[in-house]
Amino acid sequence: MSDITRGGQFLVKETKCEDVFTPEDFSEEQIMMRDSVKEFVDKEIWPNKNRFESKDYAFTEAVMKKAGEMGFLSVAVPAEYGGMGMGFVDTCLVCDYISGATGSFSTAFGAHTGIGTMPITLYGTEAQKQKYVPKLASGEWFGAYCLTEPGAGSDANSGKTKAILSEDGTHYKISGGKMWISNAGFCSLLIVFARIEDDKNITGFIVENDPSNGITMGEEEHKLGIRASSTRQVFFNETKVPVENMLAGRGEGFKIAMNALNVGRIKLAAACLDAQRRVTTNAVHYANERIQFNSPISSFGAIRYKLAEMATSAYAGESATYRAAKSIEDRINARVAEGTSHQEAELKGVEEFAIECSILKVAVSEDVQNAADEGIQIYGGMGFSEDTPMESAWRDARIARIYEGTNEINRMLSVGMLIKKAMKGHVDLIGPAMKVQEELMGIPSFDTPDYSELFSEEKEMVGKLKKAFLMVAGAAVQKYGMDLDAHQQLLMAAADMLIEIYMAESTILRTEKLAKKEGEAKVQEQVAMAKLYLYKAVDIVAARGKESIISFVEGDEQRMMLMGLRRFTKYTNMPNIVGLRETITSKLVAENSYCF
């Protein structure tokens, strides 16, 4: 397994395009699954968007049952518990294409298949899995996840819900309240986190939803978006839970919650992808049909700018999400081949790439919001109307920046986890960071490089962006050490640099692989998107790097680092950005859809 890239190593290890998985690499079986999911969504969900927007919770439940009948709820469930037992890429693929029509169904699906079912498949005993997982896989039962409390949001381990062991030792009595519980209105089973005595960490329990057992629900929450996602408070009053329904061990609840979030983050990124595609397609349709000044508005430069940026962010999100999903799948398979149980292999495989999961969660959730916002702008006044699909897409997208740990938390986590991996020796950051320092002290080369090959300058540019990050992060660690966590604005800036590096590199590698297969002439629009994304990434790295440097370095060291940042963010041949956007938009307008 030593030859498999570890999580975070993308920063210090060159990745060849042949070594990344892309959407163009889907197998025939995966394409059939994708098309089956798309057909389901276009038949059952998209035509009924008005029912979701009018808070028809019963309809959400009914469509979930149909999804269960189709097998879509069981993709990630092992075959021995009634599931399809498909790989990690397949689960992301289904999550991607089933989630794009409405956030209401996306939330119900994600909450059930992810945090409602997964904790049992990954942490449950054999008896627990045999008893509960087949019902959840088929859609006979639906699951919910009770972690958040009024005083325990991002600080998940601070919950006050109590679990007290009965005198005869046969069951626990759970008392407390949980809030923002997705699927609460129609769930049969709840994963509940509570504290036993004064334990440092919370404990997880499997609780059947029986109102006669001290379980009551608040009214449905009225939310900005995801309107037909059932979201309620859940109250427990000495709810009896058999001791055999403890999930994992006592005090293991925090670990369950954190690992569930890692999986949830990459799945959330996947769940935002088709939403972006649909928003972009709808925006192109409208821009082609809307006539102003005797021309379709898709011919106007201001609109073409927006369409190109929307398509580029969607393409980049796809590139990075499926790259990471396959990295996780490869890690899982390698561990299984070594004799590890699938349960343990999946836990460790996802945990290994927790940095990438946080990166994706932030990047794609913000991109889908931006796409929906620009979609409204392209529609103009009509975009603000409930009669068009844009305003609901914008409202639904907003929750993605809060789900699975806020984007602020995930930004800080991505850098914090990277530094911890370096300290454990899992990723060598010290050596490369020292080489960057040496390079700054040396005389730069004035040779004219050969950039004749596709992406030769772009790949060199990505390498320089990595040096910029290593320079800033290395200096910050040297100055603050373990106290770096206290400097949140610095961490946030460094995280933006890290995010852009992974997203830009993923987009370039996908496109390089595609160009080698199809020929550069056939994929000129994808080439344009890869170059456009990198150009924007360079600007972000330059701005956030400068902000970081001047916030904690002074004097000669500051001048040297700012000089290095300019060197690491300087093109030899600046791309024609307007020309790139024109190439992208011309294809979109001609095809009348997101077509990549």
Side-chain angles (χ1 to χ4, degrees):
M1 197 162 61
S2 59
D3 61 332
I4 297 179
T5 300
R6 301 196 67 160
Q9 277 190 335
F10 72 89
L11 194 62
V12 294
K13 184 176 178 180
E14 183 182 359
T15 304
K16 292 182 170 60
C17 68
E18 293 82 6
D19 296 332
V20 299
F21 181 86
T22 75
E24 291 76 31
D25 296 323
F26 289 149
S27 66
E28 286 186 20
E29 290 80 6
Q30 287 169 330
I31 291 170
M32 287 174 62
M33 174 62 80
R34 179 196 67 190
D35 292 346
S36 176
V37 173
K38 286 172 69 175
E39 183 181 352
F40 175 79
V41 171
D42 289 336
K43 179 183 176 184
E44 302 290 347
I45 300 177
W46 188 259
N48 295 300
K49 277 180 68 72
N50 62 319
R51 297 188 67 175
F52 290 102
E53 294 312 305
S54 61
K55 304 180 184 180
D56 192 339
Y57 306 106
F59 185 66
T60 300
E61 181 181 2
V63 178
M64 280 288 287
K65 285 189 178 297
K66 288 182 180 179
E69 292 165 5
M70 294 288 292
F72 299 145
L73 305 182
S74 71
V75 174
V77 174
E80 56 266 38
Y81 308 114
M84 293 188 183
M86 300 177 83
F88 198 81
V89 171
D90 299 272
T91 66
C92 286
L93 178 65
V94 172
C95 187
D96 172 355
Y97 282 91
I98 209 165
S99 301
T102 168
S104 295
F105 184 81
S106 175
T107 296
F109 177 86
H112 171 74
T113 58
I115 50 182
T117 303
M118 186 179 58
I120 306 177
T121 61
L122 296 185
Y123 288 98
T125 64
E126 186 60 27
Q128 289 170 347
K129 287 186 280 193
Q130 292 286 356
K131 182 177 181 180
Y132 294 116
V133 175
K135 293 178 180 178
L136 294 167
S138 67
E140 179 186 349
W141 280 20
F142 294 116
Y145 183 83
C146 299
L147 176 64
T148 304
E149 299 180 16
S154 296
D155 186 7
N157 203 36
S158 63
K160 306 297 184 198
T161 298
K162 286 287 186 182
I164 299 171
L165 186 64
S166 63
E167 290 183 5
D168 61 5
T170 61
H171 60 271
Y172 285 92
K173 289 184 283 187
I174 294 180
S175 296
K178 302 288 184 176
M179 64 189 304
W180 308 125
I181 308 306
S182 297
N183 295 351
F186 58 84
C187 70
S188 308
L189 175 150
L190 308 110
I191 306 295
V192 182
F193 295 90
R195 194 176 309 278
I196 301 172
E197 297 175 349
D198 294 321
D199 288 358
K200 177 183 176 182
N201 291 325
I202 52 180
T203 298
F205 297 89
I206 303 170
V207 182
E208 295 182 23
N209 184 12
D210 177 4
S212 68
N213 188 21
I215 300 175
T216 55
M217 302 274 179
E219 294 297 315
E220 290 286 358
E221 300 285 353
H222 298 288
K223 308 177 294 293
L224 171 70
I226 57 170
R227 288 180 170 175
S229 162
S230 175
T231 311
R232 296 185 174 193
Q233 288 183 283
V234 182
F235 302 98
F236 303 94
N237 182 16
E238 296 195 341
T239 300
K240 294 179 180 178
V241 184
V243 292
E244 58 266 25
N245 275 28
M246 180 185 287
L247 197 54
R250 177 171 174 170
E252 297 287 303
F254 185 62
K255 181 174 73 174
I256 296 171
M258 292 303 99
N259 281 324
L261 286 172
N262 286 334
V263 180
R265 283 163 185 154
I266 187 170
K267 294 285 185 68
L268 179 64
C272 292
L273 294 177
D274 198 50
Q276 273 192 270
R277 295 187 200 101
R278 287 175 183 268
V279 162
T280 304
T281 291
N282 283 319
V284 175
H285 285 173
Y286 188 81
N288 277 337
E289 293 168 2
R290 176 70 166 163
I291 305 297
Q292 291 290 280
F293 309 106
N294 299 318
S295 298
I297 65 171
S298 62
S299 67
F300 301 154
I303 301 299
R304 295 173 77 82
Y305 174 105
K306 295 179 188 299
L307 294 174
E309 296 288 341
M310 291 161 71
T312 297
S313 69
Y315 181 75
E318 291 172 350
S319 306
T321 300
Y322 284 104
R323 174 190 181 182
K326 189 60 163 63
S327 294
I328 291 170
E329 182 171 294
D330 287 346
R331 194 79 180 178
I332 292 169
N333 292 340
R335 284 188 171 274
V336 169
E338 291 178 347
T340 307
S341 70
H342 189 276
Q343 190 171 333
E344 183 69 12
E346 185 156 338
L347 281 169
K348 294 297 182 183
V350 176
E351 187 178 358
E352 177 64 48
F353 289 92
I355 295 166
E356 286 81 353
C357 291
S358 281
I359 285 172
L360 288 165
K361 191 273 176 183
V362 173
V364 184
S365 68
E366 293 182 359
D367 283 344
V368 72
Q369 180 85 69
N370 291 337
D373 195 68
E374 292 287 43
I376 289 176
Q377 200 69 11
I378 289 169
Y379 271 67
M382 287 301 296
F384 209 69
S385 168
E386 289 188 359
D387 292 335
T388 63
M390 285 301 169
E391 65 88 32
S392 62
W394 185 89
R395 286 187 289 97
D396 284 352
R398 187 60 185 84
I399 190 62
R401 287 156 57 195
I402 298 170
Y403 273 161
E404 312 297 347
T406 65
N407 283 11
E408 291 72 23
I409 289 287
N410 274 284
R411 278 185 162 88
M412 291 184 284
L413 273 175
S414 62
V415 178
M417 289 186 292
L418 180 64
I419 292 169
K420 286 176 183 174
K421 284 183 81 102
M423 290 178 173
K424 289 179 180 178
H426 294 173
V427 178
D428 178 18
L429 294 183
I430 305 301
M434 290 180 67
K435 286 182 180 177
V436 172
Q437 285 186 333
E438 291 170 9
E439 185 176 336
L440 290 176
M441 301 298 290
I443 299 172
S445 171
F446 295 101
D447 295 339
T448 302
D450 177 12
Y451 291 138
S452 56
E453 287 190 21
L454 176 65
F455 291 136
S456 49
E457 180 169 8
E458 285 76 15
K459 288 194 287 185
E460 182 182 286
M461 199 77 212
V462 170
K464 291 195 293 186
L465 296 185
K466 293 177 182 181
K467 290 177 182 178
F469 176 85
L470 289 167
M471 176 182 70
V472 171
V477 171
Q478 279 185 329
K479 177 160 186 176
Y480 296 117
M482 297 304 292
D483 293 331
L484 184 58
D485 284 354
H487 299 270
Q488 291 191 353
Q489 292 189 49
L490 176 55
L491 281 172
M492 299 266 285
D496 282 345
M497 298 171 75
L498 187 66
I499 289 164
E500 293 305 322
I501 289 166
Y502 188 74
M503 300 298 290
E505 182 180 62
S506 299
T507 309
I508 289 166
L509 291 172
R510 173 190 181 180
T511 310
E512 183 187 14
K513 186 176 185 180
L514 183 60
K516 285 184 176 181
K517 179 183 177 184
E518 301 289 342
E520 184 178 342
K522 289 186 177 180
V523 295
Q524 57 181 321
E525 295 84 13
Q526 289 92 328
V527 170
M529 287 191 286
K531 290 183 176 183
L532 176 59
Y533 192 94
L534 176 63
Y535 176 85
K536 306 267 287 191
V538 170
D539 276 355
I540 292 169
V541 170
R544 301 299 267 158
K546 181 179 179 181
E547 179 183 322
S548 301
I549 291 165
I550 62 178
S551 73
F552 75 99
V553 184
E554 297 177 342
D556 289 341
E557 185 183 5
Q558 183 189 96
R559 283 189 289 275
M560 184 183 71
M561 288 181 68
L562 288 173
M563 179 187 69
L565 182 66
R566 285 191 292 272
R567 187 194 304 180
F568 295 145
T569 54
K570 182 181 178 182
Y571 276 94
T572 301
N573 302 299
M574 191 73 74
N576 178 354
I577 298 306
V578 173
L580 295 178
R581 290 196 190 102
E582 278 300 303
T583 298
I584 298 161
T585 309
S586 294
K587 179 74 168 178
L588 291 168
V589 169
E591 297 289 336
N592 201 29
S593 69
Y594 177 85
C595 50
F596 305 109

